[in-house]
Amino acid sequence: MPPASKANPSVAVPAAPATFLPLPLPVALFCVLWSSAFAGAKMALADCPPLILLAVRLLLAGSLMLALAPLWDSGARRKGLPPIRRRDIVALIGIGVLNNAVYLGLNWTALTFTSSAYTAVLTSCLPLLVALGAGPLLGEKMSPAKWAGIALGLIGVVIVLRSRLAGAHETLAGTLLIAGGVSALAAGTLAFKYLAPRGGIWSGNAVQCLAGGLALIPVALATESTHDIHLTANLIGGLAFLVIGVSIGGYGLWFYLLTRASATAASSLHFLMPPLGLFFGWLLLGEAVPPLDFLGIVPIALGIWLVTRPARAVV
């Protein structure tokens, strides 16, 4: 959403498992993993071209999840999850290309010359784009609160854009790449909601990761050189974190949270990502945070909360 994202709930979620963690713990860990992914990626990108690194990450994560899917998805099959069809595989492949190859490919390319904090803030506007498309495509009603949320989010984005571009902290090219990536992720999210593909949590995500990785290989090899890969501790550690911590751990926590709360309530966690993204960019990479960033993330966070909060039941 990814996650999603940068975390996109792209597959059916089984019944809630037995509670074994206090809810604040997985919530906190999910937010930390997801918001630190941009800084982790930027660290690894110093020693490897973006598309090659991303293709390797997706193929490794997809292969690991596919190998473990029979174990993880077995409970869902016992509870009567419908069998996956050819149509579902095709849908998951298309969604995986949008969510992983296009979204992450554009974002990671932008990360080679933009800050991780800026990328995190703009990417956090995903729920606003999804809300705009959900009305005409999915027939979802837009309340005045949701329209107010979209307006606030756009105001916050304008503040951050003005701060970063006017201060020469970022470039227009990087901004356009990030905007294209978020648009692809929004399209993938809406496509999932519209097509509703079947599948287990881990097998469905494995298909998406593998589809994205395979789609990136020819583009990466045609535009980047393997001679630019340097096997450093930053690269190996960053790749391991992105595969295990984000692609597998982050998604696993996301789906665990979905079994403990509604998808709408869980997705409201994303309003925490802008300040956390700024924090990790400063902490891990020493990125400067212009004062106007703090002003801009306030309406962004409030807008996302208004768009994603559950509607009150009518008595």
Side-chain angles (χ1 to χ4, degrees):
M1 199 151 340
S5 232
K6 313 290 175 149
N8 176 30
S10 302
V11 284
V13 177
T19 300
F20 63 92
L21 288 175
L23 190 57
L25 182 59
V27 166
L29 186 54
F30 167 76
C31 290
V32 168
L33 286 174
W34 213 251
S35 58
S36 62
F38 295 99
K42 192 168 181 66
M43 290 177 65
L45 287 171
D47 297 301
C48 185
L51 299 185
I52 292 177
L53 179 64
L54 180 56
V56 171
R57 168 198 166 177
L58 292 173
L59 292 175
L60 285 175
S63 299
L64 285 172
M65 285 190 285
L66 193 63
L68 295 171
L71 174 63
W72 284 336
D73 291 340
S74 59
R77 288 195 298 272
R78 287 196 298 269
K79 294 181 182 296
L81 190 70
I84 195 167
R85 305 159 295 181
R86 181 181 299 178
R87 169 192 178 276
D88 302 318
I89 295 292
V90 173
L92 288 170
I93 290 173
I95 294 168
V97 169
L98 282 171
N99 287 356
N100 292 317
V102 181
Y103 157 60
L104 289 174
L106 291 176
N107 260 21
W108 282 28
T109 301
L111 274 172
T112 59
F113 56 93
T114 62
S115 69
S116 66
Y118 186 63
T119 307
V121 170
L122 293 190
T123 302
S124 72
C125 297
L126 169 69
L128 306 178
L129 295 179
V130 172
L132 283 173
L137 184 62
L138 305 175
E140 295 183 5
K141 294 182 178 180
M142 291 290 292
S143 65
K146 291 184 185 294
W147 282 117
I150 290 174
L152 282 170
L154 292 176
I155 290 171
V157 170
V158 170
I159 292 173
V160 174
L161 286 176
R162 180 176 176 81
S163 166
R164 292 279 179 157
L165 294 176
H169 297 286
E170 312 293 349
T171 65
L172 179 60
T175 301
L176 292 176
L177 285 172
I178 298 168
V182 178
S183 299
L185 183 58
T189 302
L190 291 169
F192 160 72
K193 292 182 178 180
Y194 184 80
L195 298 173
R198 300 174 181 175
I201 290 175
W202 298 106
S203 58
N205 279 319
V207 171
Q208 292 187 61
C209 282
L210 292 173
L214 291 172
L216 280 171
I217 287 176
V219 180
L221 294 179
T223 59
E224 298 173 348
S225 173
T226 56
H227 295 294
D228 294 325
I229 301 173
H230 308 289
L231 292 179
T232 64
N234 271 355
L235 175 58
I236 296 172
L239 181 60
F241 171 71
L242 291 168
V243 170
I244 299 173
V246 181
S247 291
I248 297 177
Y251 272 84
L253 284 167
W254 168 249
F255 287 116
Y256 173 73
L257 292 171
L258 284 178
T259 65
R260 299 285 305 278
S262 70
T264 302
S267 67
S268 66
L269 294 172
H270 286 276
F271 82 86
L272 296 171
M273 301 309 172
L276 285 172
L278 293 173
F279 171 73
F280 281 112
W282 167 80
L283 178 68
L284 299 177
L285 302 169
E287 294 176 349
V289 182
L292 278 179
D293 280 10
F294 293 104
L295 179 62
I297 64 176
V298 172
I300 290 175
L302 180 58
I304 293 174
W305 176 74
L306 286 172
V307 167
T308 59
R309 68 174 182 167
R312 292 182 178 177
V314 179
V315 179

